[in-house]
Amino acid sequence: MEEGLGLAVKDLLTIPHFKTAVILGGEKGLDQIISKINVMEVPDVIDWVRPGEFLMTTGYAFRNEPEVLMTLIAQLAEKGVVALGIKTKRFIEHIPEAAVEAANLHGLPLIELPQDMAFSDVVREVMERVLIAESRHLSTLQSRVQRLSQVLLHGDGLSAFLHHLELLVRNPVLILDSNNSWTASPAAERLCRQIKEAAWEKLREDRMLETGFIQIADKYVRSYVSVVQDNQVPPFLLVMLEAENEYSIVDTLTMNWASELVGFEISNAQTRKKIEAKYIDQFIQDWMAGRIISPVDLRMRAEACGSPIDDESTYVAGMASFRGARPGVTELQELARRMNWDTAAGKQSVLWTVLEEELTVLITLRKPEEGKNADMLHMGIAGSALARFHQMFPDRSIQLCLGREAPSQSEVPASFREAKRAAEVGRVCGITDDMVHYKDLGVYLLLYRLQGTEELEEFKRTYLEPLLNYDQKHQGSLLNTLRMYFQCNGNAKETAERLFLHYNTVNYRLERIRNELGLRLDDPETKLQLQLAVKLYEIKELPQ
């Protein structure tokens, strides 16, 4: 305990009224700090005492059975009473030896008070000294809080705040966030790296105890935990590790006030981020939608949002196509917010937003190193973003549809339109890949654009309807066999194996196809047209 930071039990002997008082037992507790003084003469005294109290009595309540003192001392120690003073000769002649042994056992100082002591004078004198000691506490605490407040007011941030707090309490300190990720003072960093996830969880479970122990490597270190009031669930924690010095009551008070300041700083930071995110979100939406016409306006908006544009960067726009139930706009906005929050600590190369009631993404790629393909790097970033989405939202499955690379800022809206078209084509054509790139749509894009035209309907009647009609009448699978035949590059044996059919069955079906269509399957032009017919069958009818 720091010198001069409180009135210890042993300091009572320096008060004139205690000149002839005798400490009978419990010397182990002489360093305990007195925060209150109380006089009680009732049998149920244990129900009324408080931690930190020095309790005085004449022994009236147990005058007829002094042996109950043994039980009382154990109960008082458990309640946090720091000392018991008994005035003898009036109601009890002497204090039993068993009571002294109990005081030694529980470390509760047991003091025999002089017969002529006036309790009222003692209460006044002791409380004066307690208040003087507490005023020192308050003066020290006020000075510390002012220093810590100045750190945050100057905008130095939580890292500098923790460094100053470490110097004040002379012990390592850290902030544990909702995900058990830590931000530590210099002395705490090395210790935090040795703490396992289970130990952090145990600390969080025991946080209401304030004082506890945490396992660091192969030893346990005393800790003091103060919950940060920041509206987070679970909450942030401010932790002091007693790794270098025994902490005092002023240190714990400092930690409690520091947690208040941390709460304000976190709340302010979150508010700033929300405001910044709102402006950035609106900027990304306007940019992708093509609502910012002037390159000068685009640059000014980007700089105002804290996301200056790099002329050497390239971009790819994407759109999420949901498998299963499509979320509403409010849920889409929450998904975008959480994805952006998750990647905020990175280079912000991936930004999510909701545009035209769709979850969209803008990928930025800085100038690639020599010899590296920009398009492949974009695809790698997109793949990582998709994997992270599925990791964060395992109950939501999406297909990420991408436009072509935009080599300049002005071409981003075109990339977004392509991503939107890729999502439409992927949905209509039944493409099941996790990522659909506009430039890889090939013939699907052509057939999609031809949907509803007279020429395409004529093509369907010529090449699809004969096979579909036969399959319907004979419960056959000519079209599916033809699809697999083309996938096997015209190899009938492999087709049979993949369809789990006899080779002769496949040959029979191929012959039926020739007869129904009146075409040769070995003619290159015929094969092309039949392959297009198979693709057309895979495309769903467009909604009216």
Side-chain angles (χ1 to χ4, degrees), residues 107-167:
L108 178 71
L110 180 60
I111 305 172
E112 184 177 7
L113 303 176
Q115 185 180 4
D116 59 351
M117 175 181 283
F119 282 171
S120 60
D121 292 338
V122 172
V123 169
R124 179 181 55 79
E125 183 113 22
V126 170
M127 285 310 299
E128 281 181 356
R129 297 189 181 221
V130 168
L131 291 173
I132 290 171
E134 288 186 347
S135 69
R136 296 195 191 105
H137 285 261
L138 293 174
S139 177
T140 302
L141 181 62
Q142 182 182 22
S143 174
R144 290 181 173 187
V145 172
Q146 286 178 344
R147 283 186 60 184
L148 293 171
S149 299
Q150 288 300 317
V151 172
L152 295 181
L153 288 173
H154 288 158
D156 295 339
L158 288 177
S159 294
F161 178 88
L162 291 175
H163 179 61
H164 278 74
L165 181 58
E166 175 184 276
L167 295 176

Side-chain angles (χ1 to χ4, degrees), residues 41-100:
E41 303 293 0
V42 294
D44 57 346
V45 60
I46 199 64
D47 296 327
W48 302 100
V49 295
R50 296 290 181 267
E53 281 187 348
F54 167 42
L55 182 65
M56 296 191 300
T57 180
T58 62
Y60 177 81
F62 43 86
R63 65 191 182 281
N64 295 323
E65 37 184 0
E67 62 275 5
V68 303
L69 263 176
M70 290 191 307
T71 304
L72 179 63
I73 286 172
Q75 293 174 328
L76 292 174
E78 185 177 357
K79 284 280 189 174
V81 172
V82 296
L84 173 63
I86 303 176
K87 185 192 291 189
T88 56
K89 309 303 182 187
R90 184 175 181 186
F91 294 109
I92 61 173
E93 184 62 28
H94 65 277
I95 298 173
E97 186 61 32
V100 175

Side-chain angles (χ1 to χ4, degrees), residues 390-494:
H390 287 150
Q391 183 181 359
M392 290 181 63
F393 310 107
D395 58 332
R396 292 288 185 185
S397 179
I398 64 170
Q399 180 183 65
L400 190 57
C401 305
L402 303 169
R404 285 179 293 188
E405 181 185 341
S408 67
Q409 303 94 347
S410 62
E411 296 177 72
V412 166
S415 182
F416 169 69
R417 290 192 297 271
E418 292 172 351
K420 185 177 180 181
R421 179 57 55 85
E424 293 172 355
V425 174
R427 183 166 52 250
V428 170
C429 297
I431 300 175
T432 59
D433 297 343
D434 286 339
M435 286 200 297
V436 178
H437 205 300
Y438 180 85
K439 69 179 182 62
D440 295 332
L441 289 174
V443 72
Y444 280 118
L445 185 60
L446 175 63
L447 297 177
Y448 174 84
R449 290 181 181 275
L450 289 174
Q451 284 291 317
T453 64
E454 184 178 339
E455 291 80 5
L456 193 61
E457 295 305 313
E458 177 63 29
F459 188 86
K460 288 181 181 179
R461 286 193 293 270
T462 303
Y463 294 100
L464 280 179
E465 287 187 8
L467 301 182
L468 293 174
N469 290 338
Y470 181 89
D471 285 345
Q472 186 175 8
K473 290 177 182 178
H474 300 88
Q475 297 182 342
S477 299
L478 296 186
L479 193 59
N480 187 49
T481 302
L482 185 61
R483 180 196 292 115
M484 185 59 69
Y485 181 68
F486 287 136
Q487 288 181 9
C488 296
N489 200 26
N491 188 316
K493 183 178 179 181
E494 184 181 349

Side-chain angles (χ1 to χ4, degrees), residues 317-337:
M319 178 178 291
S321 180
F322 285 82
R323 298 184 175 104
R326 181 182 175 281
V329 174
T330 301
E331 186 177 352
L332 291 175
Q333 291 171 339
E334 178 62 16
L335 293 175
R337 186 193 68 80

Side-chain angles (χ1 to χ4, degrees), residues 153-428:
L153 288 173
H154 288 158
D156 295 339
L158 288 177
S159 294
F161 178 88
L162 291 175
H163 179 61
H164 278 74
L165 181 58
E166 175 184 276
L167 295 176
L168 293 175
V169 300
R170 300 168 304 133
N171 273 306
V173 290
L174 63 107
I175 296 172
L176 194 68
D177 71 12
S178 303
N179 299 315
N180 289 347
S181 297
W182 47 265
T183 303
S185 65
E189 287 189 4
R190 176 181 57 83
L191 299 174
C192 288
R193 295 190 184 96
Q194 302 176 66
I195 299 175
K196 296 181 178 179
E197 180 65 24
W200 291 128
E201 284 296 334
K202 182 70 167 56
L203 181 78
R204 187 171 289 283
E205 291 172 6
D206 298 341
R207 67 180 184 272
M208 301 311 296
L209 301 177
E210 291 189 342
T211 299
F213 291 88
I214 186 169
Q215 185 174 3
I216 303 178
D218 57 351
K219 67 178 182 178
Y220 284 86
V221 173
R222 191 177 178 213
S223 63
Y224 182 84
V225 178
S226 184
V227 177
V228 177
Q229 302 301 321
D230 56 0
N231 299 319
Q232 296 293 309
V233 181
F236 280 51
L237 303 178
L238 182 63
V239 183
M240 173 171 56
L241 303 174
E242 194 180 67
E244 298 179 6
N245 297 283
E246 182 181 349
Y247 60 73
S248 68
I249 187 171
V250 177
D251 295 332
T252 61
L253 290 172
T254 301
M255 290 292 292
N256 292 340
W257 275 101
S259 69
E260 296 284 340
L261 296 175
V262 169
F264 292 141
E265 180 66 12
I266 291 174
S267 296
N268 289 338
Q270 289 172 341
T271 301
R272 288 196 302 269
K273 284 183 178 180
K274 285 181 180 178
I275 295 173
E276 291 170 359
K278 183 177 179 180
Y279 282 111
I280 292 175
D281 192 55
Q282 188 60 57
F283 164 64
I284 295 298
Q285 290 178 23
D286 291 344
W287 184 9
M288 294 175 70
R291 292 193 285 262
I292 307 176
I293 306 301
S294 167
V296 176
D297 289 345
L298 179 65
R299 188 173 297 278
M300 289 177 61
R301 287 274 303 272
E303 291 175 355
C305 292
S307 302
I309 291 176
D310 179 7
D311 289 331
E312 294 187 342
S313 295
T314 59
Y315 309 89
V316 167
M319 178 178 291
S321 180
F322 285 82
R323 298 184 175 104
R326 181 182 175 281
V329 174
T330 301
E331 186 177 352
L332 291 175
Q333 291 171 339
E334 178 62 16
L335 293 175
R337 186 193 68 80
R338 290 183 60 185
M339 286 299 294
N340 285 334
W341 185 271
D342 180 67
T343 57
K347 305 179 182 62
Q348 288 197 331
S349 58
V350 179
L351 285 170
W352 298 80
T353 188
V354 177
L355 180 57
E356 299 180 7
E357 300 187 359
E358 299 285 354
L359 181 62
T360 57
V361 63
L362 180 63
I363 300 171
T364 302
L365 181 66
R366 313 299 174 195
K367 183 179 180 180
E369 297 177 13
E370 183 118 8
K372 290 191 175 180
N373 184 279
D375 190 52
M376 292 299 294
L377 291 175
H378 269 134
M379 292 293 285
I381 296 173
S384 298
L386 179 62
R388 183 56 181 158
F389 182 94
H390 287 150
Q391 183 181 359
M392 290 181 63
F393 310 107
D395 58 332
R396 292 288 185 185
S397 179
I398 64 170
Q399 180 183 65
L400 190 57
C401 305
L402 303 169
R404 285 179 293 188
E405 181 185 341
S408 67
Q409 303 94 347
S410 62
E411 296 177 72
V412 166
S415 182
F416 169 69
R417 290 192 297 271
E418 292 172 351
K420 185 177 180 181
R421 179 57 55 85
E424 293 172 355
V425 174
R427 183 166 52 250
V428 170

